[in-house]
Every structure is written in structure tokens, then in C-alpha cells.
Amino acid sequence: MAGNLHVRNLDDELIARLKRRAARHGRSAEAEHREILRQALAGEDEPSFDKLAAELRKLTRRRKQTPSEILLREGRNER
């Protein structure tokens, strides 16, 4: 399934450069845009759940934490 991406408010010079680059590569500006995005994101690894969880723990370590069993109990009592 292919989605759509609309990019608004681009500088006219940027659009002109994209069109020139596309012409050099023998493709449409839209195809060039797809290729630029594909290349930019190709080497970028998605972080693992464990890495994201570690980062979240690091960001929130000084905050008061409510144990999950208390949150679950409160949620059940509200029903």
C-alpha cells in the first residue's frame, strides 16, 4: 500500500533545485523526491523497544512514579 505525502511552503529555489536534480537523473520531480527520502532514511535504524524504554526511564527518573498495580486498581474502581 502506498501513501501520499504533501509538502507545503517550500522555497521556490528549493523546488527549482529539485527539478534540476530530477532532470539530471532522468526522472520526475516526484520520483526524485521519493528517492531523496528513501536514501535519507535507508541508513537510519529504528530504535529497539529496549533502547526507547531506557531513554524514557532516563528522562523520567526524577519524577514520582505510581506503581502500575495502583493505576490498574484505580482504573477498575472507576468503571
Side-chain angles (χ1 to χ4, degrees), residues 2-46:
N4 291 310
L5 175 66
H6 300 277
V7 182
R8 293 180 175 85
N9 301 321
L10 291 175
D11 177 293
D12 288 339
E13 177 56 29
L14 184 64
I15 294 168
R17 290 177 60 196
L18 176 66
K19 288 179 179 180
R20 287 192 300 269
R21 179 177 164 152
R24 284 194 311 273
H25 293 131
R27 39 184 176 232
S28 69
E30 185 177 342
E32 188 69 17
H33 189 190
R34 280 193 299 269
E35 181 61 18
I36 290 167
L37 287 170
R38 188 191 65 72
Q39 287 177 10
L41 298 174
E44 190 171 301
D45 292 329
E46 291 288 326

Side-chain angles (χ1 to χ4, degrees), residues 7 40 50 59-60 74:
V7 182
D50 291 338
L59 288 170
T60 61
E74 289 174 357

Side-chain angles (χ1 to χ4, degrees), residues 43-76:
E44 190 171 301
D45 292 329
E46 291 288 326
S48 69
F49 175 82
D50 291 338
K51 183 176 179 181
L52 290 172
E55 289 175 10
L56 182 59
R57 282 192 298 277
K58 191 174 176 181
L59 288 170
T60 61
R61 71 174 163 234
R62 289 191 173 90
R63 293 184 184 175
K64 182 182 174 196
Q65 302 292 319
T66 304
S68 59
E69 62 272 12
I70 292 173
L71 295 173
L72 288 169
R73 193 173 307 117
E74 289 174 357
R76 288 185 189 126

